[in-house]
Amino acid sequence: MAHEALIIVDVQNDFCPGGSLAVPHGDQVVDAINSWVAERASDLLIVTTQDAHPPNHVSFHAQGGPWPPHCVVGTWGFELHPSLRVVPSAQFYKGSSPDVDAYSGFEGRLASSPSVVPEKSVSLADFLHQQNVVALYVAGLATDYCVKATVLDALSLGFPTTVLLDGVRGVEVHPGDSQAALDEMARQGARLQ
Ligand code: VGL
Ligand code: ZN
């Protein structure tokens, strides 16, 4: 049977206020996602993605990368926000190898534990195809990085894709980055809802 799926991108403690790479008002996406899911018909497939970095990840300042350490597997900051009230059908992890960064959820791999993510395990695209997913909704953090990359990959794979505007927030390293990201997603064919 054909399904629609919601991809919840990186709603992790480190991207919320109090975390090491806090997105302003990042925690506001949690209520928005909970409400949206509660109002949906039950045939919605839900998947989560998580940034799942080792302590020496290439994107961290100590390795010359652009970010403070964040979402290190095994830490509180890696965990999904505790108020997120969803039961995902599958959880995908990305950025697991020390020397490669990954913004898009489509670089994520299915694993039963985030500390062992086999490079050859099922990708998000494989999973969505196996489940006969025909359209996607995307919410989460951050609008101007991982949400944007995930949405652009979804569109290139041919999925009709809707961004839930209440359910996304951006880092805004430069003011206007989130709006520019949304404009780019729309230009590539995303529906903004
Ligand atoms: C992200 C910066 C670094 C994200 C991940 O989830 O948008 N941003 N790593
Ligand atoms: Zn990261």
Side-chain angles (χ1 to χ4, degrees), residues 22 31 53 58 67-68 75 83 96-97 115-116 130 139 143 155-156 164-165 172 174 180 187:
D31 280 350
H53 296 318
V58 65
W67 305 114
T75 67
S83 305
S96 305
S97 36
S115 28
V116 188
Q130 283 164 12
T143 312
L155 294 166
S156 348
L164 302 179
L165 290 173
E172 296 272 307
H174 309 285
R187 200 158 45 238

Side-chain angles (χ1 to χ4, degrees), residues 39-64:
E39 285 164 15
R40 281 277 319 199
S42 54
D43 80 326
L44 182 73
L45 193 80
I46 299 177
V47 304
T48 54
T49 71
Q50 278 168 268
D51 230 19
H53 296 318
N56 59 340
H57 191 251
V58 65
S59 76
F60 298 170
H61 290 149
Q63 280 67 244

Side-chain angles (χ1 to χ4, degrees), residues 9-10 12 15 21 51 53 59 67 70 94 101-103 141-147 171:
V9 178
D10 301 7
Q12 292 167 271
F15 295 129
L21 180 37
D51 230 19
H53 296 318
S59 76
W67 305 114
H70 61 277
K94 62 190 171 62
D101 204 6
Y103 286 147
L141 303 169
T143 312
D144 36 3
Y145 291 93
C146 290
V147 169
V171 183

Side-chain angles (χ1 to χ4, degrees), residues 4-186:
E4 294 187 329
L6 170 65
I7 303 178
I8 301 175
V9 178
D10 301 7
V11 180
Q12 292 167 271
N13 289 322
D14 267 343
F15 295 129
C16 292
S20 66
L21 180 37
V23 172
H25 309 294
D27 56 336
Q28 291 177 357
V29 306
V30 174
D31 280 350
I33 293 169
N34 287 338
S35 315
W36 190 83
V37 168
E39 285 164 15
R40 281 277 319 199
S42 54
D43 80 326
L44 182 73
L45 193 80
I46 299 177
V47 304
T48 54
T49 71
Q50 278 168 268
D51 230 19
H53 296 318
N56 59 340
H57 191 251
V58 65
S59 76
F60 298 170
H61 290 149
Q63 280 67 244
W67 305 114
H70 61 277
C71 300
V72 173
V73 174
T75 67
W76 168 86
F78 164 79
E79 300 298 328
L80 293 173
H81 191 287
S83 305
L84 192 62
R85 224 172 24 244
V86 300
V87 182
S89 306
Q91 301 187 257
F92 292 82
Y93 304 103
K94 62 190 171 62
S96 305
S97 36
D99 46 350
V100 191
D101 204 6
Y103 286 147
S104 170
F106 284 91
E107 293 171 82
R109 296 277 163 181
L110 187 65
S112 47
S113 155
S115 28
V116 188
V117 182
E119 267 176 49
K120 291 255 157 59
S121 61
V122 175
S123 70
L124 178 55
D126 292 341
F127 180 82
L128 296 174
H129 289 135
Q130 283 164 12
Q131 301 288 325
N132 294 316
V133 169
V134 293
L136 295 175
Y137 292 84
V138 179
L141 303 169
T143 312
D144 36 3
Y145 291 93
C146 290
V147 169
K148 175 186 170 190
T150 303
V151 167
L152 295 181
D153 276 352
L155 294 166
S156 348
L157 286 163
F159 289 105
T161 303
T162 303
V163 181
L164 302 179
L165 290 173
D166 279 355
V168 296
R169 292 290 183 282
V171 183
E172 296 272 307
V173 171
H174 309 285
D177 281 358
S178 295
Q179 190 55 52
L182 290 169
D183 291 346
E184 173 68 7
M185 294 182 240

